[in-house]
Amino acid sequence: QVQLVESGGGLVQPGGSLRLSCAASGSIFGLYTMGWYRQAPGSQRDVVTTITSDGYTNYVDSVKGRFTISRDNGKNTVYLQMNSLKPEDTAVYFCCLVRGRTYWGQGTQVTVSS
């Protein structure tokens, strides 16, 4: 089993920044992709960004140039640096780890509002 614990969400004004962290523990070995999804009220859960074991990244168009994903393989941790936040970034952000199946964290709320 794999456990994922997110941290770093909160309330921020438009234009501000937040950094999310996600620590993985449990049966972690081999190659795996990690990533972040988000779900706004009344909407489905959508991918934001992913990063492979060798550091290859993908971003949804709406966050390109503003968000940066990174990972520390030694700590089994993935980070999401979010800059120039907009009200439409408001959502619950979920960390995930993909290795055979997808494991999910519990989610952390990000609210962008003045």
Side-chain angles (χ1 to χ4, degrees), residues 98-110:
V98 182
R99 182 174 61 82
R101 53 159 286 189
T102 300
Y103 299 88
W104 296 98
Q106 80 285 357
T108 185
Q109 177 69 46
V110 171

Side-chain angles (χ1 to χ4, degrees), residues 82-113:
M82 305 185 292
N83 299 328
S84 302
L85 283 161
K86 305 175 181 180
E88 51 264 42
D89 295 318
T90 296
V92 178
Y93 283 70
F94 296 89
C95 170
C96 70
L97 185 151
V98 182
R99 182 174 61 82
R101 53 159 286 189
T102 300
Y103 299 88
W104 296 98
Q106 80 285 357
T108 185
Q109 177 69 46
V110 171
T111 302
V112 184
S113 175

Side-chain angles (χ1 to χ4, degrees), residues 28-89:
I28 303 170
F29 56 89
L31 303 178
Y32 54 92
T33 293
M34 297 190 76
W36 292 92
Y37 282 63
R38 65 186 179 187
Q39 186 169 18
S43 300
Q44 65 182 18
R45 189 176 300 186
D46 291 323
V47 63
V48 177
T49 178
T50 59
I51 185 167
T52 64
S53 292
D54 56 4
Y56 183 77
T57 59
N58 267 307
Y59 296 90
V60 67
D61 285 346
S62 60
V63 307
K64 285 181 180 177
R66 300 189 298 122
F67 290 13
T68 303
I69 189 171
S70 61
R71 65 189 283 172
D72 183 333
N73 290 330
K75 295 181 179 180
N76 294 324
T77 299
V78 65
Y79 306 95
L80 182 63
Q81 178 66 44
M82 305 185 292
N83 299 328
S84 302
L85 283 161
K86 305 175 181 180
E88 51 264 42
D89 295 318

